[in-house]
Amino acid sequence: MPPLYELSKELAKINDELITAEGDLSPDLEKRLDEVNLAITEKAHGIRKWLAIVEGDGGALDAEIKRLTRIKKTNENLYERLKEYVKKNMEIADKKKIETPIGTFTIAKSPASLEIITPEAVPDTFKDEVPAHLEINKKRIKEAIEEGYEVPGAKLVTDRTHLRVK
């Protein structure tokens, strides 16, 4: 069976012949028209079946994406819980580093992070205008505090630690 685009061309050719014949449908033209229409219908039927398969695959892929996303989230949560477990026990044992044949655990000082205690007390100079409201710019506040300025409503937190896994 010819491809759909060839069938469409044949149908256009038949249409041109019908116009030339002033609408007179000869038996030969009628036979060709029926054959082309039948072939187009069969082709469309095949494409529709294919679309149903592709559509079904889309649903199956969506379900698989959801399943894999759940597995990924579970693994991420487990990873974080295991890290926290090791860190807690290293702190209890007052160990800063544990070396193993396949990797090292090290308790390291976390970089300073900013904690906004009272957002209303933060001066407007440290806020960015976002449509309809001001938004606190933590980066600017952190830089100002590190340079020695006191910013009301904010403090620099420097006593946190995190576990590095290599």
Side-chain angles (χ1 to χ4, degrees), residues 55-119:
E55 186 177 43
D57 287 350
L61 289 170
D62 286 341
E64 185 66 3
I65 287 168
K66 285 179 184 174
R67 185 184 76 80
L68 292 173
T69 301
R70 280 193 309 273
I71 291 170
K72 179 182 179 194
K73 185 65 179 163
T74 300
N75 284 348
E76 288 170 350
N77 290 341
L78 177 60
Y79 182 86
E80 290 304 317
R81 282 193 307 271
L82 289 172
K83 275 180 53 179
E84 193 55 39
Y85 174 73
V86 170
K87 180 180 180 260
K88 183 178 99 181
N89 284 286
M90 286 176 70
E91 288 171 339
I92 290 169
D94 198 28
K95 283 191 159 282
K96 299 289 182 204
K97 187 174 189 176
I98 298 174
E99 292 186 34
T100 75
I102 60 170
T104 304
F105 294 102
T106 308
I107 293 182
K109 188 167 176 60
S110 295
S113 63
L114 185 70
E115 183 178 321
I116 302 297
I117 304 160
T118 316

Side-chain angles (χ1 to χ4, degrees), residues 4-165:
L4 190 56
Y5 70 89
E6 285 182 12
L7 294 171
S8 297
K9 285 180 184 177
E10 180 63 22
L11 196 56
K13 191 173 165 186
I14 292 169
N15 187 50
D16 289 344
E17 289 177 31
L18 269 171
I19 291 170
T20 303
E22 297 179 353
D24 185 27
L25 190 60
S26 67
D28 177 56
L29 213 48
E30 185 176 356
K31 180 181 177 214
R32 283 177 45 215
L33 184 61
D34 286 344
E35 288 172 354
V36 170
N37 277 331
L38 179 62
I40 287 175
T41 300
E42 287 176 19
K43 206 49 113 161
H45 177 72
I47 289 172
R48 179 59 188 107
K49 287 189 329 188
W50 190 13
L51 285 172
I53 291 168
V54 169
E55 186 177 43
D57 287 350
L61 289 170
D62 286 341
E64 185 66 3
I65 287 168
K66 285 179 184 174
R67 185 184 76 80
L68 292 173
T69 301
R70 280 193 309 273
I71 291 170
K72 179 182 179 194
K73 185 65 179 163
T74 300
N75 284 348
E76 288 170 350
N77 290 341
L78 177 60
Y79 182 86
E80 290 304 317
R81 282 193 307 271
L82 289 172
K83 275 180 53 179
E84 193 55 39
Y85 174 73
V86 170
K87 180 180 180 260
K88 183 178 99 181
N89 284 286
M90 286 176 70
E91 288 171 339
I92 290 169
D94 198 28
K95 283 191 159 282
K96 299 289 182 204
K97 187 174 189 176
I98 298 174
E99 292 186 34
T100 75
I102 60 170
T104 304
F105 294 102
T106 308
I107 293 182
K109 188 167 176 60
S110 295
S113 63
L114 185 70
E115 183 178 321
I116 302 297
I117 304 160
T118 316
E120 310 81 47
V122 175
D124 288 349
T125 56
F126 292 103
K127 296 179 181 178
D128 293 332
E129 190 168 338
V130 177
H133 72 281
L134 290 176
E135 195 169 279
I136 293 174
N137 184 321
K138 287 184 170 186
K139 182 180 176 190
R140 280 205 327 247
I141 295 172
K142 183 179 177 190
E143 288 170 357
I145 292 173
E146 286 173 342
E147 290 172 10
Y149 295 99
E150 188 175 316
V151 178
K155 72 175 183 177
L156 205 55
V157 181
T158 59
D159 61 349
R160 292 191 182 142
T161 60
H162 64 279
L163 183 67
R164 228 181 258 147
V165 180

